[in-house]
Amino acid sequence: MTAPKPQARPERVSAWRFLRLFRQDILSSQPERLYRARMAEFRTPFFRSFLVNEPDLVREVLMARPEDFPKSGRIAEGLRPLLGNSVFLANGAAWARQRRIIDPAFGRGRLKEAFPALLGAGQAGAGRLAEGIVEIEQAASHMAADAIFRTLFSLPIDAPLAASVYRDFRTYQRAQPLLNLAAFLPLPRWVPRGHRPAARDAARRIRGAIARMTAHRLAEIEAGSAPDDLATKIMTTPDPETGARFGAEEMVDQVAIFFLAGHETSAAALAWSLYLLAAHPEAQARAAGEARHFAEAPSLASLSRLRFTRDVFREALRLYPPVPMMVREAAGRERFRDREVPKGAQIVVSPWHLHRHARHWDRPDDFDPDRWQKGVCPGSATYLPFSFGARVCPGAGFAMLEGPLLLALLLARWRVAPVDGRAPVPVAHLTVRSRDGIWLELRNRDTDLRESLARSSQGSCA
Ligand code: HEM
C-alpha cells in the first residue's frame, strides 16, 4: 500500500493562486513534477526561490559551503519571540560558539544516560492511553514532551512547571497560525501574520517558566546538588575555545529550542509510524513481536534488538520527514545547473521531495521498512530527515534512540488499526502533521489475547 501524500496542485497557476495555496499548505501547493525534477525555480512578484533536488547541489548548500548559504533571516520572524537567539536561529560565529557548547551534551556516552528518562516517558505514555478511537498525534506530542522534559530537567511533564510550559506551548501554536513554513519565505510585510499578541503572551509565559527552571537549576549546580541531566550538562559546559559558559538568557533560548525541536519532530515521527503500522498489519505484527520481547525486561542493551522497529521508524522519517523543507539564503550570486541564482534568493532543500523522488527511490511512495536492510544508506543527500553538514540536527542520535523505544513501548501494549473514513492528509505546519489529526483505533493486546484464549477454550468444550 502507498503512504498517503497530498494531492499536487495543477502544473500552471497564477502567482496569486500559488501564494494563496502556499499559505494554506506548502506541500499541496507544489506541482507533481517536483517528485522528478532535479531543480525548480519559482518566481513570484515577492521572491525568487530555487528548490534543489539533486544530491550534488544539496551537498553544496548544506555540506560544502554552508557559510555561503546561511539560514534565511525570515525563519526568525515567527520564532524569535519564543526562541530568542537560540542555536536554531543564529548564524556565523554566534551559531558556531553555541554548537561548541551544545554538541558534547549529545555525544554517544551521554545518550545512554537518557535511557531511564525515555523509558519512564514511554511507560507513562503507554499507560495514559485507553481502548477505543484516539487522536494519536496529540498523545504522541504529550509523550515526546514528557521525554524531553525528563531528559532536560529530570521532571515528568505532569510536574506543575513542566505542565504549564507544555500548555502555553500549545497556545502559542494555536495563536501563531503562520508558525508554518509559509512564514519562512519572504512574503510581503502586509500579508497578515496572525494573532501576534496572543502568541507573544504565550511566548513570554513560556520563557518566564523556563527562566525560573534554569535559575533553580543554577542554584542546585552551585550547591552541588544538581541532577546530572541535559540541563546541567549544557549549563556547566564551557566553550572549549573561550572557556565561557552560556549566560542565563542564552540558557533560556537553548532550553526553548530543545523543548520545541525535541518534541514537535519526534511526536510527528511517532504518530506517522503508528499510522503506517496500523495500515500495514503484517508489519505491525512483526514490530509488536519485537516490542513484546523488549518490554518484558527493557534495557539499553536490548534496544539494539528492535531492528525491524528501527527500520519502521526510519521509513516513517522517509515518507513523512518531520522537517519537510529547509530554507537557506544565497549570500552572494551563484550558478546552479547553468542558471543564475541572484544574491538573496531563497534556496529550499526539501527532504519531502527528495525522500519520494522517482530518480532516487524504488517505489518511492510505498511503505517498505525492509528496504533499510537492502543497502539503502541512512544519512545521504537523498535521505536527510536530520539534515546533514555543519547544521545537522544535534538531537539525531537521541531521536533515533527515543523513536524506536517509544514505538516499542506503545506496540507492546496496544494494537492499532486505521479508522474508516479518516485517512490522514499530510500538511506542513512547523512539522509534517495530518490536517485533521491521525485517528486510530486502539485495542489492548492483553484483551485480544484473553478473548482469543476464551474462543479457543469454548471451541474445545463444544
Ligand atoms: C525525529 C526527530 C527529529 C528530527 C526529524 C529533527 C530534524 C532536524 C532538522 C532537519 C534540523 C535542521 C533544520 C534546518 O537546518 O533548517 C534540525 C535542527 C535542530 N534540531 Fe532536530 N530533529 C529531531 C529531534 C531533535 C531533538 C530530540 C533535539 C534536541 C533535544 C533536536 C534539536 C535540534 C536543534 C537544536 C537544531 C538546530 C541545529 C542548528 O541549527 O545548528 N532535534 N533538526
Side-chain angles (χ1 to χ4, degrees):
M1 203 194 94
T2 61
K5 68 180 185 192
Q7 196 168 12
R9 70 151 160 88
E11 202 57 42
R12 294 199 172 280
V13 294
S14 70
W16 285 109
R17 170 117 192 263
F18 175 55
L19 202 63
R20 232 183 31 244
L21 291 170
F22 190 87
R23 271 174 54 78
Q24 279 161 16
D25 167 43
I26 197 167
L27 299 180
S28 55
S29 68
Q30 309 299 333
E32 183 68 28
R33 77 186 144 90
L34 295 191
Y35 295 105
R36 294 183 307 275
R38 296 180 198 273
M39 185 171 103
E41 180 181 349
F42 299 91
R43 285 173 191 238
T44 78
F46 316 109
F47 63 86
R48 253 175 105 180
S49 68
F50 294 79
L51 184 133
V52 292
N53 243 356
E54 186 157 275
D56 280 354
L57 282 178
V58 172
R59 275 191 285 268
E60 188 75 6
V61 171
L62 295 180
M63 180 98 82
R65 295 193 290 128
E67 64 287 355
D68 294 336
F69 302 100
K71 271 207 166 175
S72 165
R74 297 286 167 157
I75 292 179
E77 274 198 17
L79 297 173
R80 187 79 70 198
L82 181 63
L83 303 181
N85 293 315
S86 78
V87 64
F88 193 79
L89 303 181
N91 274 317
W95 165 82
R97 177 183 152 265
Q98 296 183 20
R99 285 293 295 240
R100 286 196 298 270
I101 299 179
I102 285 166
D103 284 350
F106 289 96
R108 274 219 157 269
R110 296 297 303 188
L111 286 183
K112 290 187 191 145
E113 289 160 24
F115 180 77
L118 295 177
L119 183 64
Q123 287 171 333
R128 266 193 305 270
L129 292 168
E131 282 201 347
I133 292 180
V134 170
E135 200 288 286
I136 207 72
E137 275 190 342
Q138 186 158 334
S141 235
H142 195 160
M143 211 164 161
D146 193 16
I148 193 69
F149 249 105
R150 289 176 191 241
T151 310
L152 266 167
F153 284 108
S154 308
L155 272 181
I157 194 79
D158 44 18
L161 214 48
S164 78
V165 170
Y166 181 53
R167 241 188 349 263
D168 283 331
F169 187 77
R170 296 176 65 80
T171 311
Y172 184 76
Q173 280 178 308
R174 272 196 296 270
Q176 182 76 328
L178 260 191
L179 221 173
N180 63 22
L181 282 158
F184 289 9
L185 288 179
L187 300 180
R189 298 271 161 206
W190 45 261
V191 172
R193 295 308 210 254
H195 314 290
R196 288 294 174 106
R200 267 203 299 269
D201 284 351
R204 204 174 305 119
R205 284 197 303 274
I206 297 172
R207 291 183 64 87
I210 294 178
R212 286 196 294 284
M213 291 166 88
T214 49
H216 180 67
R217 174 55 54 88
L218 199 56
E220 287 178 323
I221 292 170
E222 277 160 12
S225 59
D228 184 20
D229 51 23
L230 189 56
T232 297
K233 176 74 185 161
I234 291 169
M235 290 174 82
T236 54
T237 303
D239 175 354
E241 284 187 12
T242 64
R245 297 181 182 176
F246 280 139
E249 188 70 7
E250 280 181 310
M251 196 51 218
V252 175
D253 296 346
Q254 309 308 345
V255 170
I257 184 57
F258 287 154
F259 180 63
L260 168 64
H263 93 280
E264 264 287 296
T265 47
S266 295
L270 183 60
W272 285 111
S273 303
L274 286 165
Y275 168 73
L276 288 165
L277 288 175
H280 297 85
E282 278 175 26
Q284 185 179 165
R286 282 171 71 190
E290 277 185 359
R292 298 279 279 187
H293 203 66
F294 170 78
E296 275 165 20
S299 70
L300 188 61
S302 58
L303 251 184
S304 61
R305 288 199 282 276
L306 293 173
R307 204 181 70 173
F308 184 68
T309 313
R310 192 169 310 105
D311 287 343
V312 166
F313 193 69
R314 282 197 180 120
E315 186 69 343
L317 288 173
R318 182 181 73 81
L319 289 164
Y320 300 101
V323 179
M325 294 182 196
M326 292 170 269
V327 187
R328 301 292 191 263
E329 197 163 302
R333 281 171 58 188
E334 299 283 345
R335 210 168 168 77
F336 284 176
R337 288 185 62 80
D338 275 340
R339 257 190 262 179
E340 275 303 318
V341 175
K343 178 172 185 267
Q346 305 294 298
I347 312 297
V348 182
V349 177
S350 171
W352 178 270
H353 291 97
L354 285 159
H355 291 185
R356 291 185 184 239
H357 202 283
R359 290 178 200 274
H360 310 316
W361 297 92
D362 178 31
R363 296 167 293 109
D365 293 329
D366 282 7
F367 171 66
D368 175 15
D370 289 320
R371 73 171 82 231
W372 296 100
Q373 295 301 322
K374 295 177 194 155
V376 180
C377 169
S380 68
T382 51
Y383 180 74
L384 61 169
F386 298 106
S387 183
F388 67 25
R391 292 200 87 134
V392 66
C393 171
F398 178 90
M400 286 308 297
L401 189 77
E402 175 191 24
L405 170 56
L406 298 188
L407 196 53
L409 293 170
L410 288 169
L411 288 174
R413 187 146 169 184
W414 301 103
R415 184 163 61 77
V416 291
V419 177
D420 279 348
R422 286 195 140 159
V425 179
V427 288
H429 290 290
L430 192 56
T431 53
V432 171
R433 294 301 181 130
S434 165
R435 192 185 60 203
D436 308 307
I438 296 181
W439 294 86
L440 297 179
E441 184 165 0
L442 263 57
R443 194 147 162 83
N444 195 314
R445 288 190 191 275
D446 290 336
T447 317
D448 265 4
L449 190 65
R450 268 198 306 278
E451 286 183 4
S452 83
L453 285 175
R455 270 198 305 279
S456 59
S457 69
Q458 275 166 9
S460 60
C461 293

